Amino acid sequence: AAKGYKVENFREDSLLNKAGFKSGDIVKRVNGMSIETPEQLIQAYQKLKDSTNIRVDVERNGSTITLDYQINR
């Protein structure tokens, strides 16, 4: 099985959609932190909740894509 967190079934007006995610993307890294379990995704979220720039490496259709998202506070 692919390591990472699979993103599926989110609303069109969600932050995931605005950040460029597509249903079926597998999150591999968030700001350099490896994501292999839901717990690691939660840890990354907690570390990044005050960040203004988030860089996410996702696997999409067998290729790795980097999504950069700026958060306006």
Side-chain angles (χ1 to χ4, degrees), residues 6-44:
K6 191 170 188 175
V7 178
E8 295 182 290
N9 302 323
F10 54 85
R11 297 189 344 230
E12 279 190 30
D13 62 348
S14 71
L15 180 62
L16 290 173
N17 191 50
K18 291 176 188 166
F21 285 92
K22 304 272 186 229
S23 186
D25 282 354
I26 299 171
V27 177
K28 306 295 259 176
R29 298 175 76 79
V30 176
N31 280 22
M33 292 177 271
S34 288
I35 305 297
E36 296 182 4
T37 65
E39 292 79 18
Q40 287 176 313
L41 187 63
I42 292 166
Q43 289 170 355

